[in-house]
Amino acid sequence: QAQLAESGGGLVQPGGSLRLSCDTSRITFTITAVAWHRIVAGRERELVARLPTGGSADYADSVKGRFTISRDAGKNLVFLEMNSLKPEDTAFYYCAARSPWGFDSWGQGTRVTVSS
């Protein structure tokens, strides 16, 4: 069962922007890191952005400078701001939260389609 809930996906034109949200309120363990992954049709899962708790964010080279991961722990929310979107960004996007023992919880995903 999905323990996270992503939202905010949809259809956007190339060059447009979108903000994805991830509700972590059902997570009961201490979150050591949050991340966004995506699956492009026909490809393996790709790490898009990762934010260790108390640390600095890391990004895939393909999205660096365009995407920003952030977290409001008090509101149990994780965000992915996506700017200058390209058709190759079209994918299902998944939020993940890591436990102290290395277990990752996932959401059901939200679909992002970048097309004219």
Side-chain angles (χ1 to χ4, degrees), residues 5-8 18-24 34-37 48-51 57 59 67-82 93-96:
E6 302 94 338
S7 62
L18 211 58
R19 186 179 76 166
L20 306 183
S21 298
C22 173
D23 180 6
T24 67
V34 294
W36 287 93
H37 294 74
V48 175
R50 179 176 58 194
L51 180 63
Y59 299 92
F67 290 12
T68 302
I69 184 173
S70 62
R71 182 185 177 194
D72 188 337
K75 296 182 179 180
N76 297 307
L77 292 174
V78 182
F79 302 101
L80 184 67
E81 294 278 356
M82 304 184 294
Y93 285 74
Y94 299 86
C95 182

Side-chain angles (χ1 to χ4, degrees), residues 38-113:
R38 67 186 180 187
I39 300 178
V40 177
R43 299 179 62 182
E44 295 183 350
R45 186 180 65 206
E46 175 188 19
L47 174 64
V48 175
R50 179 176 58 194
L51 180 63
T53 300
S56 300
D58 294 319
Y59 299 92
D61 289 340
S62 59
V63 307
K64 196 170 298 182
R66 300 188 297 120
F67 290 12
T68 302
I69 184 173
S70 62
R71 182 185 177 194
D72 188 337
K75 296 182 179 180
N76 297 307
L77 292 174
V78 182
F79 302 101
L80 184 67
E81 294 278 356
M82 304 184 294
N83 300 310
S84 302
L85 284 163
K86 305 174 181 179
E88 50 262 46
D89 294 319
T90 296
F92 275 91
Y93 285 74
Y94 299 86
C95 182
R98 176 156 290 185
S99 74
W101 57 92
F103 177 81
D104 293 334
S105 293
W106 298 85
Q108 297 181 127
T110 185
R111 183 171 59 191
V112 172
T113 302

